Coordinates of all heavy atoms in Angstrom, one line a residue:
A215 N -79.1 94.1 -113.3 CA -79.9 93.2 -112.6 C -79.8 91.8 -113.1 O -80.4 90.9 -112.5 CB -81.4 93.7 -112.6
T216 N -79.2 91.6 -114.3 CA -79.1 90.3 -114.8 C -77.9 89.5 -114.3 O -77.7 88.4 -114.6 CB -79.0 90.3 -116.4 OG1 -77.8 91.0 -116.7 CG2 -80.2 91.1 -116.9
E217 N -77.1 90.2 -113.4 CA -76.0 89.5 -112.8 C -76.5 88.4 -111.9 O -77.6 88.4 -111.4 CB -75.1 90.5 -112.1 CG -74.5 91.5 -113.0 CD -73.7 92.5 -112.2 OE1 -73.6 92.4 -111.0 OE2 -73.1 93.4 -112.8
D218 N -75.6 87.5 -111.6 CA -75.9 86.3 -110.7 C -76.3 86.8 -109.3 O -75.4 87.4 -108.6 CB -74.7 85.4 -110.6 CG -75.0 84.2 -109.7 OD1 -76.2 84.0 -109.4 OD2 -74.0 83.5 -109.4
R219 N -77.5 86.6 -108.9 CA -78.0 87.1 -107.6 C -77.5 86.2 -106.5 O -77.6 86.5 -105.3 CB -79.5 87.1 -107.5 CG -80.1 88.2 -108.5 CD -81.6 88.3 -108.3 NE -82.1 89.3 -109.1 CZ -82.5 89.2 -110.3 NH1 -82.4 88.1 -110.9 NH2 -83.0 90.3 -111.0
G220 N -76.9 85.0 -106.9 CA -76.4 84.1 -105.8 C -74.9 84.4 -105.4 O -74.4 83.7 -104.7
S221 N -74.3 85.4 -106.0 CA -72.9 85.7 -105.6 C -72.8 86.2 -104.2 O -73.7 86.8 -103.6 CB -72.3 86.8 -106.6 OG -73.1 88.0 -106.5
M222 N -71.6 85.9 -103.6 CA -71.4 86.3 -102.2 C -71.2 87.8 -102.1 O -70.7 88.5 -102.9 CB -70.2 85.6 -101.7 CG -70.3 84.1 -101.8 SD -71.6 83.3 -100.9 CE -70.9 83.6 -99.2
T223 N -71.7 88.3 -100.9 CA -71.5 89.8 -100.6 C -70.8 89.9 -99.3 O -70.8 88.9 -98.5 CB -72.9 90.5 -100.5 OG1 -73.6 89.9 -99.5 CG2 -73.6 90.3 -101.8
P224 N -70.2 91.0 -99.0 CA -69.5 91.2 -97.7 C -70.3 90.9 -96.5 O -69.9 90.7 -95.4 CB -68.9 92.6 -97.8 CG -68.8 92.9 -99.2 CD -70.0 92.2 -99.9
G225 N -71.7 91.1 -96.6 CA -72.5 90.9 -95.5 C -73.0 89.5 -95.2 O -73.7 89.2 -94.3
V226 N -72.5 88.5 -96.0 CA -72.9 87.1 -95.8 C -72.3 86.5 -94.6 O -71.2 86.9 -94.1 CB -72.5 86.3 -97.1 CG1 -71.0 86.0 -97.1 CG2 -73.3 85.0 -97.1
S227 N -73.1 85.6 -93.9 CA -72.6 85.0 -92.7 C -73.0 83.5 -92.7 O -74.1 83.1 -93.2 CB -73.2 85.7 -91.5 OG -72.9 84.9 -90.3
F228 N -72.0 82.7 -92.3 CA -72.3 81.3 -92.2 C -72.9 80.9 -90.8 O -73.2 79.7 -90.5 CB -71.0 80.5 -92.3 CG -70.6 80.4 -93.8 CD1 -69.4 80.9 -94.2 CD2 -71.4 79.7 -94.7 CE1 -69.0 80.8 -95.5 CE2 -71.0 79.6 -96.0 CZ -69.8 80.2 -96.4

Side-chain angles (χ1 to χ4, degrees):
T216 63
E217 297 178 358
D218 181 15
R219 293 184 176 87
S221 61
M222 305 294 291
T223 64
V226 72
S227 172
F228 283 117

